[in-house]
Each structure stands twice: as C-alpha cells, then as structure tokens.
Amino acid sequence: MTAWEDNIRKTVPYVPGEQPRFDGMIKLNTNENPYPPAPGVARALKNMEAEQLKLYPDPGAGLLVDALAEYYELPSEQIFVGVGSDDVLAMSFLTFFNSGKPIVFPDITYSFYEVWASLFRIPFRCPKLDEDFHIRREDYYGENGGVVIANPNAPTSVWEETELIEDIVRHNPGCVVIVDEAYIDFGGISARSLIDTYDNLLVVQTFSKSRSMAGLRIGFAMGSRKLIAALNNVKYSFNSYTMNLPSIILGTEAVKDKEYFIETTRRVIRTRENAKRSLRELGFQFPDSRTNFIFARHERIPAKQLFAALREQNIFVRYFDRPRIDNYLRISVGTDGQMEKLIGFLKAYIGSQTEGTGKG
C-alpha cells in the first residue's frame, strides 16, 4: 500500500437494489410505484424546451418548495428539498450529528444510516427491535447525539404510532430527531403534525414511492425554521445547485395533482391487501405492512430458496442475507397483474415442494 492510500476515507458502501432491465421481467425488488407519475408531469416534460437548460436552476428550488409548502400547509421556510431523500438524509447527518456522542437507530432498518454514520465518522449504536420488529421506546431515552427512525420501517414494513414517536422526541430535547417517512403515504400517519411543537424534529419524505418519480430523485424535509436554515447553510457550503431544473418543474406538477396522488396510493394499498390475503393462504407470515411492500417468510421453505426460484422466472424480489431477517423476502407491491403472476408461481412452486416432502 502506498502512502497516499493511508489517507483515503474508507467505508463499506450501501448496496442498492438490483436494477434489471429487460422485457418480460416482473420487478418487485426496489419498492418503486408501478404506476406512472401524474399526467401533469408528462405534459410539462413534453413542453420543456432545451433552451431552458443553458442557465443554472434556482438554487433554492423555490417553485417546488412553494408547492410543497402549500400542499402541507407550512411556511416555505420550513421546507428543504434535495436530490432524493438519500441526499436530504445525508445532508442532515452532516449538519446535525456533530456532538461526538453516538446517534441511535434500530438494528434492523434502512442500511444507509450506518453507511452515512461511518462515512462522516459519527459514532452510533443500534438497539434491537423486539421480536415483532417494533421499537422499544426506552432504548431511545438517555444521552445521545441524535435519533433516526424510519417510520414505517424498512425493510420490516412496521409503522409505529405517533404517540411513540412523540414520546421519543420529548425524551430527546438536546438533540435532533429525524423521522424518515419514505413510505408514509401507504397507510401510516405522518409525524409532521408535531413539527410546530418540537423544534428539534425533522420529518423526511420522498417522491420516489408514492409520487412515482424514483427516476428524478426528489426528496424533502419538513421542520422548524432553525433546522431548515441550518440545512440550507450546509447545502450552500457543499453544492449550491443540487436540484436540477427538470426535477423542480416536474416535481411541482406532481405535487399539484392531489387527486391522482390519492388515486394511485389507494390502488397500491388495495393490491397490497389482496396480496397479503393470498400470501397468508400459501403459508407466508409477515408484519402488517403499512408500506408498498410486504416483508414475508414462509412457514416451511427458506427465503433464499424462494428468492432463487423466483429469479429463475424473472421475478425479482429483495433478499437480505443479514442476521434476524435472512429468512424474509421483501416483496414490492406491483400492479394487480404482476402480483397475480407472483402468487401464481408461488402457489405452483410451494405445491411442488410440498409434494416432494410428502406433506399434505
């Protein structure tokens, strides 16, 4: 190893979900929305002129910020936007977690939290979720450098009641509490109602799931004016033009179409509930999902085996080879047709495995 290699910042990177791209596949592995963005997004995209791209975009993304502020009934000064919620969360780690004390997040959660903590050299500890994948609130009491909670959680799909979230925020007045709500629009209740009461609460959401815009990378945070001002100060010290012009324009159109947003999220929820019933009939067990995915294990057949069998049929789901969850599959909710094909294959495959073992 040469001398300069000693000074490289080293970290184990986040491993994103596989992105296969070919005809005939059923892609249920990265929790994208199976429906297109709002019609206004397509119209705005068609009407965009290349001439617009010669100028820098608005560094404050005011058009998008104002649309979000109106939608969520908050002052614009309480909204921050970034390049996907990953960018918003990473910026938040960099901005708020500098006390030298360990930050706290669950042992089973979005694995990027550990990556950011390691990258920014932030100490952390990870209390264990209980046997039903719920948070033990007392694990988040006491002195720490900050708290991060994905609610609903990924990959478990479990949503914690707002009362629990508020209790944890109340017990941590000396640090920032981040609630990552990437999946909140599929069945939970947002913690944003607590923002005016607790100036140390930051609520982060994304356009990638419920607004069908994973390809554009738009995320945002809601919090007190002090928190948002601090985020903007760090952002402008890092990169002033993080949000590109197409994202600002198209993201604004997505926010405007409330009826379409409600319609598509309801379609996903209906499909999810139907899939849950079908999976139970096939012998699967899972937490009660409040997301656009189901975190399931089979009563007899190992998850790794099912993952491989599905992959052979070009049906892609997510498998995590990690302690406590290595017998679960995370199955994104697709269209009704996609889920019917998934269930149809599982029914045939599980039936053939049962026959092979002589069990009725």
Side-chain angles (χ1 to χ4, degrees), residues 20-45:
R21 300 184 188 278
F22 55 86
D23 293 338
M25 70 175 183
I26 298 177
K27 189 173 184 296
L28 305 173
N29 67 326
T30 48
N31 299 341
E32 294 131 327
N33 197 311
Y35 303 109
V41 174
R43 288 194 297 269
L45 182 61

Side-chain angles (χ1 to χ4, degrees), residues 152-186:
N153 194 19
T156 65
S157 79
V158 172
W159 176 70
E160 303 290 357
E161 297 282 348
T162 307
E163 180 276 326
L164 180 141
I165 299 298
E166 182 172 14
D167 182 61
I168 290 174
V169 176
R170 189 168 52 245
H171 276 85
N172 288 278
C175 66
V176 174
V177 177
I178 298 174
V179 181
D180 180 358
E181 295 185 339
Y183 302 98
I184 197 65
D185 297 315
F186 298 107

Side-chain angles (χ1 to χ4, degrees), residues 323-339:
R324 297 187 70 193
I325 59 172
D326 58 358
N327 200 29
Y328 285 83
L329 297 177
R330 194 191 69 186
I331 304 168
S332 302
V333 176
T335 63
D336 286 336
Q338 289 175 323
M339 301 308 286

Side-chain angles (χ1 to χ4, degrees), residues 17 106 111 121 131 138 146 179 182-183 208 230 240 257 293 306 325 336:
S111 55
R121 298 176 181 172
E131 295 304 310
E138 60 272 15
V179 181
Y183 302 98
S208 296
S240 295
D257 199 335
F293 62 88
L306 287 170
I325 59 172
D336 286 336

Side-chain angles (χ1 to χ4, degrees), residues 263-287:
E263 175 193 346
T264 51
T265 52
R266 284 178 176 171
R267 290 176 72 182
V268 171
I269 291 168
R270 282 197 300 268
T271 303
R272 179 192 71 201
E273 295 306 302
N274 289 335
K276 284 158 67 173
R277 285 190 288 271
S278 297
L279 288 169
R280 284 194 189 98
E281 291 172 359
L282 293 176
F284 284 90
Q285 300 169 347
F286 42 83

Side-chain angles (χ1 to χ4, degrees), residues 198-351:
Y198 302 96
D199 63 2
N200 63 323
L201 171 64
L202 190 75
V203 176
V204 178
Q205 296 188 12
T206 179
F207 281 47
S208 296
K209 316 301 181 183
S210 55
R211 296 191 186 276
S212 306
M213 300 182 79
L216 266 188
R217 314 305 301 125
I218 303 173
F220 62 102
M222 298 172 280
S224 66
R225 285 176 170 82
K226 286 183 179 180
L227 290 184
I228 300 305
L231 274 172
N232 276 312
N233 286 342
V234 172
K235 168 195 167 181
Y236 291 133
S237 303
F238 184 78
N239 182 355
S240 295
Y241 301 104
T242 56
M243 180 67 65
N244 65 62
L245 181 63
S247 293
I248 294 171
I249 293 173
L250 303 182
T252 300
E253 290 301 318
V255 176
K256 287 180 180 178
D257 199 335
K258 186 174 182 178
E259 289 184 4
Y260 183 82
F261 170 69
I262 292 172
E263 175 193 346
T264 51
T265 52
R266 284 178 176 171
R267 290 176 72 182
V268 171
I269 291 168
R270 282 197 300 268
T271 303
R272 179 192 71 201
E273 295 306 302
N274 289 335
K276 284 158 67 173
R277 285 190 288 271
S278 297
L279 288 169
R280 284 194 189 98
E281 291 172 359
L282 293 176
F284 284 90
Q285 300 169 347
F286 42 83
D288 184 26
S289 173
R290 295 292 189 95
T291 64
N292 67 336
F293 62 88
I294 301 167
F295 193 58
R297 64 182 177 90
H298 194 263
E299 58 189 9
R300 294 187 306 275
I301 304 175
K304 196 169 187 177
Q305 179 181 333
L306 287 170
F307 173 77
L310 286 163
R311 188 183 175 87
E312 287 181 3
Q313 300 298 312
N314 293 327
I315 301 174
F316 294 86
V317 297
R318 193 83 189 265
Y319 173 70
F320 298 91
D321 192 7
R322 295 173 52 193
R324 297 187 70 193
I325 59 172
D326 58 358
N327 200 29
Y328 285 83
L329 297 177
R330 194 191 69 186
I331 304 168
S332 302
V333 176
T335 63
D336 286 336
Q338 289 175 323
M339 301 308 286
E340 286 168 6
K341 290 179 181 178
L342 168 80
I343 298 297
F345 171 75
L346 287 173
K347 184 176 181 179
Y349 182 80
I350 291 168

